[in-house]
Amino acid sequence: MTRYTKTAVTAKIGINYIRNEVEKHGSLFIKIEQENDLGIDAIIELNENLTPINRQVAVQIKSGNSYYDEATRSCHFSIGTHKEYWSRHPLPVIGIVYIPLLDQAFWVDLKQEILTRNDSKIRFGASWNNQFKKQTVQKFIIPHILNRTPGLDIDEALLLTKSSDTSTHLLGLRTLFENFINSQLTWDSIIEHLLIRPITDRLVIYWLAHIPWNPDIYYSGQMLAKETKKHVIERLNKRPNQVIINLLNNIDLEQIGRGSLASYILSVLSCINGVPDKLLSIILRHSISSQIIHRATFSLAVLDKNYFIKNYRKIETLSPEVAQLLHEEILFNGSISISD
């Protein structure tokens, strides 16, 4: 006798759950029938305030508790034979895992994951910001598709910055910077990132370069208040040596032209009180790596050429090649140029 399998029931419940949340949001859920399914279960026609925004999203849905790890609170998605199909799909492709145990669903950008990783299985955290429901369609999915800042209040953005997931954490920082640039909490979070976490995104340093300002910055948002700049400079000077070392770690001496990460770092270093003395102290520290010594030598020569010349003999003994090149350029050109 023909039976309706439990797997089919679970799959249908999952699809109906996603359809319900999409329609509660006011968007359209267009199911693709199984005989036409090549790796996409549905198309979502996104609306905003019941108005079409002329954007669609392709969706692959997995339903079942087996796709969820309760211990790590994470989901997984096997790529299987769909890698090429998803990566070349003309629409954004998101994966959604529906978990009957929780009666909740969580989403991930499949195309983005495939293009940035080379894994056979995609694993992603299950948290409030990627839970699939009508609110997150508006707050996260639409902004993600349109490449704009999520529509969060400051407490929600701060919550994202507490995530151990790097992409979620950086999304929180981006939201704070773009929506709450004059909040001290924004800059406290950015400086905490600088001090505690490895800098995996140059945007963190780019944001900090707004404080002293850098001529290569393009910015069109709310202007920074004097009180905000004062607060950030005070925070940077509370732990100046750690700030300097962490910034020096990100200088690439092969790329030092205008608009480079090095130029932004030099701008931030200029905010540190007594930075020439502190850079010299780092150069003369015997326990420091040669890479940091070279970067500190370069930074000192750019920021204070006279102080560099005055202490050249000390510096030369620890960074001979770099120091000599910088010394010759200062004598010949009068300064160190970082222009293109």
Side-chain angles (χ1 to χ4, degrees):
M1 183 176 69
T2 303
R3 293 176 60 86
Y4 194 35
T5 66
K6 186 176 180 180
T7 302
V9 171
T10 302
K12 189 171 183 179
I13 292 172
I15 287 174
N16 287 338
Y17 178 94
I18 304 306
R19 184 201 303 273
N20 189 40
E21 293 302 318
V22 168
E23 291 178 349
K24 282 194 292 186
H25 172 260
S27 291
L28 303 177
F29 184 90
I30 307 162
K31 186 178 182 301
I32 296 174
E33 295 306 323
Q34 191 171 3
E35 61 267 25
N36 299 320
D37 179 2
L38 298 175
I40 297 298
D41 293 316
I43 301 294
I44 297 175
E45 178 79 39
L46 293 169
N47 293 333
E48 197 166 25
N49 300 319
L50 303 180
T51 302
I53 59 173
N54 300 317
R55 295 301 296 270
Q56 294 179 328
V57 180
V59 178
Q60 172 77 352
I61 301 168
K62 298 292 186 184
S63 301
N65 296 324
S66 62
Y67 297 102
Y68 177 67
D69 185 334
E70 193 170 6
T72 60
R73 194 165 169 76
S74 63
C75 301
H76 63 85
F77 222 100
S78 293
I79 296 173
T81 59
H82 298 310
K83 181 175 182 178
E84 186 173 353
Y85 181 68
W86 288 341
S87 63
R88 294 187 177 185
H89 202 284
L91 297 176
V93 182
I94 67 171
I96 305 174
V97 171
Y98 170 74
I99 307 159
L101 176 70
L102 305 176
D103 192 29
Q104 293 177 347
F106 299 89
W107 69 278
V108 65
D109 187 325
L110 287 178
K111 184 184 286 189
Q112 185 177 76
E113 291 291 318
I114 288 170
L115 293 174
T116 56
R117 303 187 188 188
N118 191 29
D119 301 326
S120 60
K121 186 178 287 187
I122 294 169
R123 301 181 186 275
F124 59 100
S127 56
W128 69 273
N129 60 289
N130 71 325
Q131 187 176 347
F132 193 94
K133 54 184 181 179
K134 69 171 187 176
Q135 294 92 333
T136 51
V137 171
Q138 184 60 43
K139 287 186 174 183
F140 289 102
I141 294 179
I142 289 178
H144 178 75
I145 298 303
L146 298 179
N147 194 30
R148 70 187 190 200
T149 312
L152 307 177
D153 61 35
I154 192 166
D155 289 331
E156 290 172 324
L158 285 167
L159 185 59
L160 288 185
T161 68
K162 305 303 179 185
S163 174
S164 58
D165 177 69
T166 300
S167 60
T168 302
H169 170 77
L170 289 170
L171 180 62
L173 290 182
R174 177 189 167 193
T175 303
L176 287 172
F177 177 81
E178 294 185 4
N179 291 354
F180 309 100
I181 195 169
N182 279 308
S183 168
Q184 293 185 0
L185 293 172
T186 293
W187 293 100
D188 290 347
S189 299
I190 292 173
I191 293 170
E192 182 182 6
H193 176 100
L194 172 67
L195 293 173
I196 296 174
R197 297 189 182 224
I199 299 174
T200 57
D201 195 312
R202 63 177 286 154
L203 276 174
V204 174
I205 293 171
Y206 176 74
W207 294 330
L208 283 166
H210 285 65
I211 298 303
W213 200 256
N214 181 289
D216 295 308
I217 286 175
Y218 172 77
Y219 179 70
S220 60
Q222 181 184 3
M223 296 307 297
L224 277 162
K226 290 182 180 179
E227 294 78 9
T228 302
K229 292 185 177 184
K230 180 181 177 184
H231 173 76
V232 179
I233 292 171
E234 287 175 353
R235 283 296 311 275
L236 290 172
N237 279 284
K238 281 188 176 180
R239 297 168 70 180
N241 290 331
Q242 189 173 349
V243 168
I244 292 171
I245 290 293
N246 288 7
L247 288 172
L248 291 177
N249 274 325
N250 290 275
I251 288 181
D252 183 352
L253 293 180
E254 299 296 321
Q255 297 183 21
I256 55 174
R258 285 190 55 182
S260 67
L261 196 60
S263 71
Y264 296 138
I265 289 171
L266 289 168
S267 297
V268 181
L269 286 174
S270 69
C271 296
I272 304 297
N273 296 333
V275 72
D277 281 329
K278 291 179 172 63
L279 286 169
L280 180 62
S281 176
I282 289 170
I283 294 166
L284 301 179
R285 195 187 303 172
H286 294 288
S287 59
I288 210 76
S289 72
S290 59
Q291 279 190 327
I292 294 297
I293 290 174
H294 297 333
R295 293 165 184 170
T297 299
F298 165 75
S299 300
L300 178 58
V302 175
L303 293 173
D304 194 331
K305 63 181 181 181
N306 294 327
Y307 193 83
F308 171 82
I309 294 294
K310 179 181 176 181
N311 292 280
Y312 172 65
R313 293 303 174 193
K314 295 180 187 176
I315 298 168
E316 186 187 21
T317 61
L318 292 162
S319 181
E321 292 183 8
V322 173
Q324 287 168 16
L325 287 172
L326 294 167
H327 187 257
E328 289 172 5
E329 184 170 347
I330 290 172
L331 293 180
F332 186 77
N333 295 321
S335 64
I336 303 297
S337 173
I338 60 169
S339 61
D340 291 333

